[in-house]
Amino acid sequence: MSQTTTITPATLNGLLAIQRYRLLSVDQFARASGLKSSHVRDVLRTFERKKLLGSIGNVGLRGGAKAPKLYYLTRGGFEVMIDAGGLNGDDVGGYVRPHTGTGWTPVMAHRMATIDLLLAVETGLNAFPKYRVVKTFHEYRRVFRGTSQQPETSDFVAEPFNSSTRIVPDAAFILENQISGGRALFFVETDRGTERLTSGAEGSYSIVDKFALYERYLHGGRFADAYQTFGDFKFFTMLFVTTSDERIENTRRTAERLDSSLHPYFKLATQHRAAHSFFDPIWVSRDARNQERSTLIKSN
């Protein structure tokens, strides 16, 4: 089959992105591959007809909207991708078929928004060749820990290890400065504007609670153990990506009660800006008094 299916380098990049993130829309595949969406539609349609890809979504929603069509690799597609790239399981991991019974829900919308951000990290570095992505991590990828599967980003901020100390970032990624060899760890929280900023009823969870949990993670240092395979990390930066500038300002005002010395380790931006200009000066500190917008990496 690989002899009759043309896999260009650009298309291979798109397929590898599906392998990393399990599900991609047409626009996400186009971004990962660098191809035009109009061409990508034809490519993905052909691959689906050849059973190299499967799909979910593409169904009507309330209000007349339509859920995007999301593509995933089949076993045959995985093998063709491996063969075309001269790769093996050690390079890309084993084949994992996603759960295809999942409908288009707010959880799926959150998942796609988070993938948009990780793709923005990968493609945004094209303008900064001094840097590279060492690895990305995603809440929706599962790994075995002990006898059960857990989100690959899950950890505990401190003992005792229970629900109150468990942290599950939406995503994480590690960047490397290829000249200095220095590496930096980032966590991503994708806020869709539905969570409370502060706690309401007893037992409810809020954005400020989440920030406080990350503060404990910073102070306790368990993140360094969790990611020690990829570098010696003394700290991390938490990126909070949300729906609007108004939401950012409300979040910053609410966070004034938290540890002011840790404000620099928390950066905020809107989903639109982050998805299109991740490494531009779009990020504001958690400190509501600081109006400066900064970048995440140095351009020189």
Side-chain angles (χ1 to χ4, degrees):
M1 185 180 294
S2 61
Q3 294 178 347
T4 60
T5 303
T6 301
I7 307 291
T8 66
T11 303
L12 179 62
N13 286 336
L15 294 176
L16 288 170
I18 295 183
Q19 169 67 8
R20 286 193 298 279
Y21 302 121
R22 307 301 186 231
L23 295 166
L24 287 188
S25 67
V26 169
D27 289 342
Q28 288 171 336
F29 191 99
R31 189 165 197 178
S33 65
L35 299 171
K36 292 183 178 180
S37 294
S38 56
H39 177 61
V40 164
R41 286 189 179 89
D42 292 337
V43 170
L44 297 183
R45 195 177 297 120
T46 299
F47 283 5
E48 186 174 23
R49 187 170 63 248
K50 293 185 176 183
K51 301 189 183 306
L52 305 181
L53 295 175
S55 66
I56 63 172
N58 199 32
V59 296
L61 303 173
R62 289 182 180 179
K66 195 172 186 180
K69 190 173 185 178
L70 304 177
Y71 290 89
Y72 61 88
L73 279 169
T74 64
R75 169 71 72 175
F78 175 82
E79 292 173 353
V80 167
M81 178 190 71
I82 291 292
D83 183 54
L87 305 169
N88 57 52
D90 292 336
D91 297 318
V92 300
Y95 172 70
V96 178
R97 188 178 189 274
H99 297 291
T100 55
T102 303
W104 188 260
T105 65
V107 171
M108 186 60 76
H110 176 270
R111 178 176 183 167
M112 291 298 105
T114 302
I115 291 173
D116 279 340
L117 297 175
L118 291 175
L119 289 174
V121 171
E122 295 180 352
T123 59
L125 287 184
N126 291 337
F128 302 93
K130 183 169 70 173
Y131 294 90
R132 74 179 183 98
V133 179
V134 176
K135 188 170 176 61
T136 62
F137 306 84
H138 198 291
E139 175 191 0
Y140 298 103
R141 284 200 297 251
R142 296 295 191 264
V143 295
F144 272 102
R145 294 202 175 121
T147 59
S148 64
Q149 284 191 326
Q150 301 290 330
E152 68 174 353
T153 58
S154 66
D155 197 6
F156 295 95
V157 302
E159 294 182 351
F161 299 155
N162 55 38
S163 59
S164 68
T165 61
R166 188 169 185 251
I167 189 168
V168 187
D170 293 332
F173 62 92
I174 295 167
L175 298 185
E176 180 184 70
N177 182 318
Q178 298 188 82
I179 296 176
S180 69
R183 293 187 174 188
L185 172 64
F186 297 86
F187 292 109
V188 178
E189 288 292 336
T190 308
D191 173 56
R192 303 292 287 169
T194 57
E195 292 185 68
R196 289 177 176 269
L197 294 179
T198 58
S199 298
E202 183 177 354
S204 65
Y205 201 62
S206 70
I207 298 302
V208 168
D209 292 331
K210 190 173 291 186
F211 281 175
L213 200 61
Y214 275 100
E215 288 188 352
R216 293 181 66 187
Y217 207 28
L218 264 172
H219 279 304
R222 282 186 52 84
F223 66 90
D225 295 332
Y227 294 89
Q228 64 180 338
T229 302
F230 305 98
D232 181 19
F233 301 109
K234 305 300 183 185
F235 64 90
F236 61 78
T237 302
M238 189 272 214
L239 304 177
F240 180 76
V241 182
T242 189
T243 53
S244 67
D245 288 323
E246 181 181 9
R247 177 81 165 171
I248 287 176
E249 292 310 310
N250 290 337
T251 300
R252 298 211 298 168
R253 284 194 294 270
T254 304
E256 287 177 347
R257 70 190 68 176
L258 299 173
D259 187 343
S260 61
S261 69
L262 297 183
H263 284 338
Y265 299 98
F266 293 77
K267 305 290 185 182
L268 297 80
T270 63
Q271 175 79 26
H272 177 77
R273 290 193 184 102
H276 293 87
S277 309
F278 203 92
F279 294 108
D280 287 350
I282 63 170
W283 300 93
V284 295
S285 163
R286 194 177 68 177
D287 185 355
R289 298 166 299 178
N290 184 351
Q291 296 302 316
E292 180 183 356
R293 292 187 183 273
S294 62
T295 61
L296 299 178
I297 57 178
K298 296 179 180 179
S299 58
N300 51 34

